[in-house]
Amino acid sequence: WVKILLARMEGGIVVIKILVVVILLLVSVAYLTLMERKVLGYIQCRKGPNRVGLYGLLQPLGDGLKLLVKETVIPNHANFSIYIVAPVLSLTLALAVWGVIPYER
């Protein structure tokens, strides 16, 4: 039973490591987008993340929240399963690329 418990713990540790990598990757992309918006705001002299809020640090959080509560629009003549599965599959494949990078020695 000890071997089974250790095997389950190792599986849980692997899942935690995967979640850490995925979460760090998504947060870094969100803040790189913030940096891009700040530069564009400075170049165009317009109000944006560079002049609104606390240095615009909550802008990626607001963008994510807006994405989650946004109404889903599905075209009438679209294949529902392909319409839903295609973005999920593309995100999964994009994140799976990070799985082949060795993080430990």
Side-chain angles (χ1 to χ4, degrees):
W1 64 270
V2 174
K3 290 181 182 179
I4 294 172
L5 182 63
L6 288 175
R8 286 186 182 177
M9 286 177 57
E10 288 178 12
I13 292 172
V14 169
V15 169
I16 290 172
K17 286 181 181 181
I18 290 171
L19 286 176
V20 166
V21 169
V22 168
I23 289 171
L24 287 175
L25 179 66
L26 293 176
V27 168
S28 65
V29 168
Y31 280 98
L32 282 172
T33 303
L34 173 67
M35 184 183 68
E36 178 188 18
R37 288 182 180 180
K38 282 175 145 307
V39 169
L40 291 174
Y42 282 121
I43 289 172
Q44 298 172 2
C45 294
R46 61 179 169 82
K47 286 187 180 180
N50 59 335
R51 295 187 185 164
V52 177
L54 180 65
Y55 303 110
L57 292 177
L58 295 178
Q59 187 78 30
L61 181 66
D63 290 340
L65 185 65
K66 182 177 89 171
L67 182 65
L68 287 176
V69 298
K70 195 173 176 181
E71 179 183 1
T72 304
V73 178
I74 299 173
N76 290 334
H77 300 292
N79 186 341
F80 180 75
S81 59
I82 294 176
Y83 189 78
I84 297 298
V85 169
V88 173
L89 182 64
S90 64
L91 178 65
T92 304
L93 291 175
L95 292 176
V97 171
W98 290 84
V100 298
I101 298 174
Y103 296 103
E104 297 178 358
R105 292 182 181 206

